[in-house]
Amino acid sequence: MVTETEPPPSPFPPVRAVPAGAPFRWLAAGWADFRAAPVPSMFYGACFALMGWLIALTFRHAYPYVSALVTGFFLVGPFLAIGLYDLSRRRERGDPPWLAPTLDAWRPNVGAIGVFALVLAVILMVWARASLVVFALFYTSEMPSVAGFLEQVLSLQNLEFLVAYFCVGGFFALLVFAISVVSVPMMMDRGTDGIVAVLTSLKAFGANVPAMIAWGLLIAVVIGAGFAAWFVGLVVAVPVIGHATWHAYRALVE
């Protein structure tokens, strides 16, 4: 008598379809988490703000580098916000939202998270190089001066540059966004390897394109407002988005 063996369970968890307005609920839940643990949340936000100030100070005479590295925040942010995901998880479990236990939330799955962080770092370096290439192509005689940098770069006279810059940057942003929508919270929470987490993230992205467009725009608006306040706004903006990302993961992955 031959018995049929059951196939091994799939390592990929099912993903849910969510309405296009779901990101607004995630953002509201992220704000609630921030209000429940303001001090540890603002610690992580202050780290982002400090990083922005250090970049601006170090490259104050080379603003094309500043623009590349500051916009690179969007690329490496999913990894740097691990502590915020853990704060939201602790609140969800009813644990005290203390800072100290979240500082090494990456440790239980350090291998997979470390490899993913390396991938993000490589993408950041490629983007920084691509950004400089775009500047060099459109500013063949001289680079924009430090004085009035934004006015020169964002001028309508440089419309072709703006289109090229945002197209190249948009490609890198879309790539990182698609592979990291749920991957880092999933690796931290479930101990999955990077391949499973990235493929699950891509699956969640593909199954919820309208919601992902809304979520990406919300992230850009909130973080952009933090940048506009000379990085001070990141003290609040980054924690809120980080906490909201945890709720996005919970909503998208069963």
Side-chain angles (χ1 to χ4, degrees):
M1 181 177 179
V2 178
T3 58
E4 295 184 0
T5 58
E6 294 184 0
S10 172
F12 300 98
V15 299
R16 300 187 184 99
V18 298
F24 293 95
R25 294 198 299 270
W26 305 338
L27 194 65
W31 173 247
D33 285 354
F34 175 83
R35 293 183 61 187
V39 174
S41 296
M42 285 192 292
F43 167 81
Y44 287 105
C47 289
F48 275 82
L50 179 61
M51 192 183 309
W53 290 326
L54 288 176
I55 290 174
L57 179 63
T58 303
F59 297 100
R60 60 187 180 276
H61 299 302
Y63 267 56
Y65 286 97
V66 174
S67 65
L69 293 175
V70 167
T71 52
F73 272 9
F74 288 96
L75 305 184
V76 298
F79 165 71
L80 298 177
I82 291 177
L84 293 166
Y85 309 150
D86 196 33
L87 278 172
S88 291
R89 180 174 65 171
R90 292 180 62 82
R91 182 170 183 247
E92 183 181 274
R93 292 175 173 177
D95 297 332
W98 293 336
L99 173 64
T102 69
L103 295 175
D104 61 349
W106 45 266
R107 189 179 296 276
N109 197 14
V110 61
I113 294 176
V115 170
F116 188 78
L118 181 61
V119 170
L120 292 182
V122 170
I123 294 176
L124 173 59
M125 288 188 290
V126 174
W127 154 242
R129 177 58 61 183
S131 173
L132 293 177
V133 169
V134 174
F135 268 98
L137 288 175
F138 286 89
Y139 291 90
T140 54
S141 57
E142 60 179 357
M143 298 295 271
S145 63
V146 174
F149 173 79
L150 289 178
E151 289 80 2
Q152 296 174 66
V153 170
L154 299 180
S155 170
L156 292 179
Q157 297 178 355
N158 297 319
L159 187 60
E160 293 181 352
F161 164 78
L162 290 176
V163 171
Y165 193 82
F166 283 106
C167 284
V168 175
F171 167 78
F172 285 98
L174 181 62
L175 171 64
V176 172
F177 184 58
I179 67 174
S180 62
V181 170
V182 300
S183 55
V184 180
M186 184 175 171
M187 285 187 285
M188 182 203 72
D189 185 46
R190 306 189 185 200
T192 56
D193 64 71
I195 295 176
V196 170
V198 167
L199 292 179
T200 302
S201 186
L202 289 171
K203 185 178 178 181
F205 182 91
N208 297 279
V209 173
M212 293 298 99
I213 293 174
W215 182 220
L217 290 175
L218 276 177
I219 293 174
V221 169
V222 174
I223 300 298
F227 283 137
W230 192 237
F231 304 112
V232 175
L234 295 178
V235 176
V236 175
V238 167
V240 171
I241 291 297
H243 292 311
T245 300
W246 171 261
H247 293 282
Y249 154 68
R250 281 301 200 204
L252 292 169
V253 182
E254 292 187 9

